[in-house]
Amino acid sequence: MNAWWEGRTPRERILLLALLTAGIVLAAVQLVWLPLDRAQDQAVRARDAARLILADVQAAASRAGQQAQASVPATDDPRGTVIRTAREANLTLTRLEPGQDGLSVWMDEVKADELHRWLGRLQADHGLEVRRASVRANDDNATVRAQILFGAGNG
């Protein structure tokens, strides 16, 4: 290799070094900078989608709070009410888990607006209040994954 390099003219050596430098720069751009740039763009889109979901949840919570002032009597069977109303709204419940704090419900794929309508109906028609909710956008940004803890009444 050394003999080959020594056999090159100074002009050829400069051109080869310039070509090597350009190759290194091009590889760095392709393998480092562009993937990082794409990841940043994707993170910004995910953040914006999460902000939209947060605004929807806050609006639904505000509406539910206003409806809670109507003092709807608590339902006797929250589990049955949740299952029945979810079925009526064509929502798929992934898991239900009764506990000391209330009834936990999981949904893997639900449209945010359908979820908010359903939660509002449960509060207004059946007196079930949302004690805690965790809502995250799915990768498709068309649906959300939700974990909701329901408690009865105004407690």
Side-chain angles (χ1 to χ4, degrees):
M1 183 75 170
N2 224 2
W4 178 83
W5 180 255
E6 293 298 326
R8 304 294 114 211
T9 66
R11 183 176 177 183
E12 288 175 332
R13 288 181 194 168
I14 291 173
L15 286 173
L16 287 171
L17 287 174
L19 182 61
L20 178 65
T21 303
I24 291 171
V25 169
L26 180 63
V29 167
Q30 290 292 322
L31 299 175
V32 177
W33 187 74
L34 288 177
L36 289 174
D37 190 48
R38 281 188 224 113
Q40 181 185 16
D41 289 344
Q42 184 178 4
V44 167
R45 284 192 302 274
R47 182 201 63 207
D48 292 344
R51 283 183 177 166
L52 290 173
I53 290 170
L54 175 62
D56 288 345
V57 168
Q58 288 174 334
S62 175
R63 286 191 304 272
Q66 293 169 355
Q67 293 171 348
Q69 294 173 357
S71 190
V72 176
T75 183
D76 291 330
D77 181 21
R79 186 175 189 272
T81 301
V82 166
I83 291 170
R84 181 178 45 77
T85 58
R87 189 177 307 124
E88 290 169 358
N90 292 322
L91 300 177
T92 302
L93 302 177
T94 306
R95 183 171 149 201
L96 280 102
E97 187 176 297
Q100 289 181 327
D101 295 338
L103 177 66
S104 292
V105 177
W106 285 261
M107 298 174 160
D108 285 340
E109 288 186 42
V110 60
K111 291 184 179 176
D113 57 337
E114 292 174 0
L115 175 64
H116 297 143
R117 275 194 298 272
W118 179 66
L119 293 174
R121 275 190 50 224
L122 282 172
Q123 172 65 43
D125 298 347
H126 304 284
L128 283 175
E129 68 178 32
V130 175
R131 297 280 173 100
R132 184 175 55 239
S134 172
V135 180
R136 293 180 184 234
N138 286 329
D139 291 337
D140 62 5
N141 284 333
T143 60
V144 295
R145 172 177 290 210
Q147 179 181 356
I148 303 156
L149 175 65
F150 290 102
N154 295 330

PDB file of all heavy atoms in Angstrom, residues 71-94:
ATOM      1  N   SER A  71     -75.219  16.722  39.908  1.00  0.00           N
ATOM      2  CA  SER A  71     -75.359  15.780  41.017  1.00  0.00           C
ATOM      3  C   SER A  71     -76.178  14.564  40.641  1.00  0.00           C
ATOM      4  O   SER A  71     -77.228  14.281  41.202  1.00  0.00           O
ATOM      5  CB  SER A  71     -75.977  16.495  42.217  1.00  0.00           C
ATOM      6  OG  SER A  71     -75.918  15.678  43.345  1.00  0.00           O
ATOM      7  N   VAL A  72     -75.655  13.812  39.675  1.00  0.00           N
ATOM      8  CA  VAL A  72     -76.300  12.581  39.233  1.00  0.00           C
ATOM      9  C   VAL A  72     -76.056  11.504  40.271  1.00  0.00           C
ATOM     10  O   VAL A  72     -74.936  11.372  40.778  1.00  0.00           O
ATOM     11  CB  VAL A  72     -75.711  12.156  37.864  1.00  0.00           C
ATOM     12  CG1 VAL A  72     -76.280  10.842  37.413  1.00  0.00           C
ATOM     13  CG2 VAL A  72     -75.967  13.240  36.848  1.00  0.00           C
ATOM     14  N   PRO A  73     -77.068  10.698  40.618  1.00  0.00           N
ATOM     15  CA  PRO A  73     -76.846   9.642  41.593  1.00  0.00           C
ATOM     16  C   PRO A  73     -75.869   8.597  41.072  1.00  0.00           C
ATOM     17  O   PRO A  73     -75.838   8.297  39.886  1.00  0.00           O
ATOM     18  CB  PRO A  73     -78.241   9.032  41.792  1.00  0.00           C
ATOM     19  CG  PRO A  73     -79.006   9.416  40.578  1.00  0.00           C
ATOM     20  CD  PRO A  73     -78.425  10.715  40.097  1.00  0.00           C
ATOM     21  N   ALA A  74     -75.062   8.040  41.965  1.00  0.00           N
ATOM     22  CA  ALA A  74     -74.069   7.036  41.588  1.00  0.00           C
ATOM     23  C   ALA A  74     -74.760   5.738  41.194  1.00  0.00           C
ATOM     24  O   ALA A  74     -75.796   5.377  41.734  1.00  0.00           O
ATOM     25  CB  ALA A  74     -73.113   6.787  42.741  1.00  0.00           C
ATOM     26  N   THR A  75     -74.145   5.034  40.278  1.00  0.00           N
ATOM     27  CA  THR A  75     -74.687   3.767  39.822  1.00  0.00           C
ATOM     28  C   THR A  75     -74.374   2.660  40.825  1.00  0.00           C
ATOM     29  O   THR A  75     -73.391   2.735  41.544  1.00  0.00           O
ATOM     30  CB  THR A  75     -74.131   3.415  38.424  1.00  0.00           C
ATOM     31  OG1 THR A  75     -74.734   2.211  38.008  1.00  0.00           O
ATOM     32  CG2 THR A  75     -72.637   3.257  38.442  1.00  0.00           C
ATOM     33  N   ASP A  76     -75.223   1.638  40.870  1.00  0.00           N
ATOM     34  CA  ASP A  76     -75.013   0.545  41.805  1.00  0.00           C
ATOM     35  C   ASP A  76     -73.965  -0.441  41.301  1.00  0.00           C
ATOM     36  O   ASP A  76     -73.249  -1.032  42.086  1.00  0.00           O
ATOM     37  CB  ASP A  76     -76.339  -0.201  42.045  1.00  0.00           C
ATOM     38  CG  ASP A  76     -77.320   0.660  42.817  1.00  0.00           C
ATOM     39  OD1 ASP A  76     -76.868   1.499  43.619  1.00  0.00           O
ATOM     40  OD2 ASP A  76     -78.535   0.491  42.615  1.00  0.00           O
ATOM     41  N   ASP A  77     -73.889  -0.652  39.990  1.00  0.00           N
ATOM     42  CA  ASP A  77     -72.972  -1.630  39.414  1.00  0.00           C
ATOM     43  C   ASP A  77     -72.080  -0.960  38.373  1.00  0.00           C
ATOM     44  O   ASP A  77     -72.380  -1.000  37.182  1.00  0.00           O
ATOM     45  CB  ASP A  77     -73.777  -2.777  38.778  1.00  0.00           C
ATOM     46  CG  ASP A  77     -72.876  -3.835  38.174  1.00  0.00           C
ATOM     47  OD1 ASP A  77     -71.694  -3.916  38.555  1.00  0.00           O
ATOM     48  OD2 ASP A  77     -73.364  -4.578  37.301  1.00  0.00           O
ATOM     49  N   PRO A  78     -70.982  -0.331  38.814  1.00  0.00           N
ATOM     50  CA  PRO A  78     -70.133   0.377  37.856  1.00  0.00           C
ATOM     51  C   PRO A  78     -69.568  -0.534  36.771  1.00  0.00           C
ATOM     52  O   PRO A  78     -69.493  -0.145  35.614  1.00  0.00           O
ATOM     53  CB  PRO A  78     -69.010   0.968  38.698  1.00  0.00           C
ATOM     54  CG  PRO A  78     -69.349   0.731  40.114  1.00  0.00           C
ATOM     55  CD  PRO A  78     -70.501  -0.207  40.170  1.00  0.00           C
ATOM     56  N   ARG A  79     -69.180  -1.753  37.141  1.00  0.00           N
ATOM     57  CA  ARG A  79     -68.591  -2.674  36.161  1.00  0.00           C
ATOM     58  C   ARG A  79     -69.588  -2.977  35.047  1.00  0.00           C
ATOM     59  O   ARG A  79     -69.259  -2.893  33.868  1.00  0.00           O
ATOM     60  CB  ARG A  79     -68.151  -3.966  36.865  1.00  0.00           C
ATOM     61  CG  ARG A  79     -67.404  -4.909  35.969  1.00  0.00           C
ATOM     62  CD  ARG A  79     -66.891  -6.115  36.781  1.00  0.00           C
ATOM     63  NE  ARG A  79     -65.997  -6.916  36.004  1.00  0.00           N
ATOM     64  CZ  ARG A  79     -66.387  -7.906  35.213  1.00  0.00           C
ATOM     65  NH1 ARG A  79     -67.664  -8.210  35.112  1.00  0.00           N
ATOM     66  NH2 ARG A  79     -65.500  -8.590  34.523  1.00  0.00           N
ATOM     67  N   GLY A  80     -70.809  -3.333  35.409  1.00  0.00           N
ATOM     68  CA  GLY A  80     -71.831  -3.632  34.403  1.00  0.00           C
ATOM     69  C   GLY A  80     -72.163  -2.424  33.551  1.00  0.00           C
ATOM     70  O   GLY A  80     -72.353  -2.534  32.339  1.00  0.00           O
ATOM     71  N   THR A  81     -72.211  -1.255  34.183  1.00  0.00           N
ATOM     72  CA  THR A  81     -72.505  -0.024  33.443  1.00  0.00           C
ATOM     73  C   THR A  81     -71.403   0.277  32.439  1.00  0.00           C
ATOM     74  O   THR A  81     -71.678   0.627  31.289  1.00  0.00           O
ATOM     75  CB  THR A  81     -72.666   1.154  34.426  1.00  0.00           C
ATOM     76  OG1 THR A  81     -73.733   0.847  35.322  1.00  0.00           O
ATOM     77  CG2 THR A  81     -72.961   2.438  33.691  1.00  0.00           C
ATOM     78  N   VAL A  82     -70.161   0.129  32.857  1.00  0.00           N
ATOM     79  CA  VAL A  82     -69.025   0.398  31.969  1.00  0.00           C
ATOM     80  C   VAL A  82     -69.054  -0.562  30.784  1.00  0.00           C
ATOM     81  O   VAL A  82     -68.915  -0.161  29.629  1.00  0.00           O
ATOM     82  CB  VAL A  82     -67.687   0.303  32.739  1.00  0.00           C
ATOM     83  CG1 VAL A  82     -66.509   0.243  31.796  1.00  0.00           C
ATOM     84  CG2 VAL A  82     -67.545   1.488  33.682  1.00  0.00           C
ATOM     85  N   ILE A  83     -69.265  -1.848  31.058  1.00  0.00           N
ATOM     86  CA  ILE A  83     -69.280  -2.843  29.980  1.00  0.00           C
ATOM     87  C   ILE A  83     -70.436  -2.571  29.016  1.00  0.00           C
ATOM     88  O   ILE A  83     -70.260  -2.568  27.799  1.00  0.00           O
ATOM     89  CB  ILE A  83     -69.383  -4.269  30.570  1.00  0.00           C
ATOM     90  CG1 ILE A  83     -68.091  -4.624  31.306  1.00  0.00           C
ATOM     91  CG2 ILE A  83     -69.672  -5.291  29.480  1.00  0.00           C
ATOM     92  CD1 ILE A  83     -68.171  -5.905  32.118  1.00  0.00           C
ATOM     93  N   ARG A  84     -71.616  -2.322  29.564  1.00  0.00           N
ATOM     94  CA  ARG A  84     -72.806  -2.113  28.722  1.00  0.00           C
ATOM     95  C   ARG A  84     -72.662  -0.858  27.863  1.00  0.00           C
ATOM     96  O   ARG A  84     -72.897  -0.883  26.657  1.00  0.00           O
ATOM     97  CB  ARG A  84     -74.056  -2.018  29.597  1.00  0.00           C
ATOM     98  CG  ARG A  84     -75.337  -1.833  28.793  1.00  0.00           C
ATOM     99  CD  ARG A  84     -76.580  -1.800  29.680  1.00  0.00           C
ATOM    100  NE  ARG A  84     -76.450  -0.963  30.864  1.00  0.00           N
ATOM    101  CZ  ARG A  84     -76.526   0.368  30.870  1.00  0.00           C
ATOM    102  NH1 ARG A  84     -76.721   1.020  29.742  1.00  0.00           N
ATOM    103  NH2 ARG A  84     -76.399   1.047  31.988  1.00  0.00           N
ATOM    104  N   THR A  85     -72.254   0.251  28.477  1.00  0.00           N
ATOM    105  CA  THR A  85     -72.147   1.498  27.714  1.00  0.00           C
ATOM    106  C   THR A  85     -71.014   1.437  26.689  1.00  0.00           C
ATOM    107  O   THR A  85     -71.132   2.018  25.616  1.00  0.00           O
ATOM    108  CB  THR A  85     -71.958   2.704  28.645  1.00  0.00           C
ATOM    109  OG1 THR A  85     -70.793   2.509  29.450  1.00  0.00           O
ATOM    110  CG2 THR A  85     -73.188   2.922  29.525  1.00  0.00           C
ATOM    111  N   ALA A  86     -69.939   0.733  27.014  1.00  0.00           N
ATOM    112  CA  ALA A  86     -68.845   0.575  26.038  1.00  0.00           C
ATOM    113  C   ALA A  86     -69.338  -0.227  24.842  1.00  0.00           C
ATOM    114  O   ALA A  86     -69.037   0.103  23.689  1.00  0.00           O
ATOM    115  CB  ALA A  86     -67.645  -0.102  26.680  1.00  0.00           C
ATOM    116  N   ARG A  87     -70.091  -1.281  25.106  1.00  0.00           N
ATOM    117  CA  ARG A  87     -70.636  -2.095  24.014  1.00  0.00           C
ATOM    118  C   ARG A  87     -71.583  -1.249  23.157  1.00  0.00           C
ATOM    119  O   ARG A  87     -71.550  -1.310  21.930  1.00  0.00           O
ATOM    120  CB  ARG A  87     -71.376  -3.309  24.583  1.00  0.00           C
ATOM    121  CG  ARG A  87     -71.776  -4.310  23.519  1.00  0.00           C
ATOM    122  CD  ARG A  87     -72.456  -5.548  24.095  1.00  0.00           C
ATOM    123  NE  ARG A  87     -71.670  -6.175  25.156  1.00  0.00           N
ATOM    124  CZ  ARG A  87     -72.128  -6.415  26.383  1.00  0.00           C
ATOM    125  NH1 ARG A  87     -73.358  -6.093  26.724  1.00  0.00           N
ATOM    126  NH2 ARG A  87     -71.355  -6.989  27.279  1.00  0.00           N
ATOM    127  N   GLU A  88     -72.435  -0.450  23.803  1.00  0.00           N
ATOM    128  CA  GLU A  88     -73.374   0.408  23.065  1.00  0.00           C
ATOM    129  C   GLU A  88     -72.637   1.427  22.200  1.00  0.00           C
ATOM    130  O   GLU A  88     -73.107   1.799  21.131  1.00  0.00           O
ATOM    131  CB  GLU A  88     -74.300   1.135  24.039  1.00  0.00           C
ATOM    132  CG  GLU A  88     -75.300   0.224  24.727  1.00  0.00           C
ATOM    133  CD  GLU A  88     -76.033   0.923  25.879  1.00  0.00           C
ATOM    134  OE1 GLU A  88     -75.735   2.106  26.164  1.00  0.00           O
ATOM    135  OE2 GLU A  88     -76.892   0.268  26.486  1.00  0.00           O
ATOM    136  N   ALA A  89     -71.484   1.895  22.672  1.00  0.00           N
ATOM    137  CA  ALA A  89     -70.694   2.889  21.933  1.00  0.00           C
ATOM    138  C   ALA A  89     -69.710   2.232  20.967  1.00  0.00           C
ATOM    139  O   ALA A  89     -68.895   2.921  20.353  1.00  0.00           O
ATOM    140  CB  ALA A  89     -69.944   3.783  22.913  1.00  0.00           C
ATOM    141  N   ASN A  90     -69.765   0.895  20.835  1.00  0.00           N
ATOM    142  CA  ASN A  90     -68.854   0.144  19.961  1.00  0.00           C
ATOM    143  C   ASN A  90     -67.387   0.345  20.339  1.00  0.00           C
ATOM    144  O   ASN A  90     -66.523   0.462  19.472  1.00  0.00           O
ATOM    145  CB  ASN A  90     -69.077   0.496  18.489  1.00  0.00           C
ATOM    146  CG  ASN A  90     -70.406   0.016  17.987  1.00  0.00           C
ATOM    147  OD1 ASN A  90     -70.865  -1.072  18.346  1.00  0.00           O
ATOM    148  ND2 ASN A  90     -71.063   0.829  17.178  1.00  0.00           N
ATOM    149  N   LEU A  91     -67.126   0.391  21.641  1.00  0.00           N
ATOM    150  CA  LEU A  91     -65.760   0.521  22.141  1.00  0.00           C
ATOM    151  C   LEU A  91     -65.302  -0.834  22.668  1.00  0.00           C
ATOM    152  O   LEU A  91     -66.081  -1.563  23.272  1.00  0.00           O
ATOM    153  CB  LEU A  91     -65.687   1.555  23.260  1.00  0.00           C
ATOM    154  CG  LEU A  91     -66.128   2.969  22.894  1.00  0.00           C
ATOM    155  CD1 LEU A  91     -66.076   3.867  24.114  1.00  0.00           C
ATOM    156  CD2 LEU A  91     -65.264   3.534  21.784  1.00  0.00           C
ATOM    157  N   THR A  92     -64.041  -1.149  22.443  1.00  0.00           N
ATOM    158  CA  THR A  92     -63.488  -2.423  22.895  1.00  0.00           C
ATOM    159  C   THR A  92     -62.688  -2.201  24.173  1.00  0.00           C
ATOM    160  O   THR A  92     -61.709  -1.456  24.176  1.00  0.00           O
ATOM    161  CB  THR A  92     -62.572  -3.024  21.810  1.00  0.00           C
ATOM    162  OG1 THR A  92     -63.331  -3.182  20.621  1.00  0.00           O
ATOM    163  CG2 THR A  92     -62.028  -4.364  22.245  1.00  0.00           C
ATOM    164  N   LEU A  93     -63.126  -2.860  25.241  1.00  0.00           N
ATOM    165  CA  LEU A  93     -62.403  -2.806  26.501  1.00  0.00           C
ATOM    166  C   LEU A  93     -61.382  -3.930  26.512  1.00  0.00           C
ATOM    167  O   LEU A  93     -61.716  -5.083  26.285  1.00  0.00           O
ATOM    168  CB  LEU A  93     -63.369  -2.974  27.676  1.00  0.00           C
ATOM    169  CG  LEU A  93     -64.500  -1.956  27.760  1.00  0.00           C
ATOM    170  CD1 LEU A  93     -65.418  -2.282  28.923  1.00  0.00           C
ATOM    171  CD2 LEU A  93     -63.959  -0.551  27.885  1.00  0.00           C
ATOM    172  N   THR A  94     -60.129  -3.594  26.766  1.00  0.00           N
ATOM    173  CA  THR A  94     -59.066  -4.590  26.793  1.00  0.00           C
ATOM    174  C   THR A  94     -59.036  -5.311  28.131  1.00  0.00           C
ATOM    175  O   THR A  94     -58.806  -6.514  28.191  1.00  0.00           O
ATOM    176  CB  THR A  94     -57.708  -3.917  26.540  1.00  0.00           C
ATOM    177  OG1 THR A  94     -57.788  -3.175  25.325  1.00  0.00           O
ATOM    178  CG2 THR A  94     -56.605  -4.935  26.419  1.00  0.00           C
TER     179      THR A  94
END
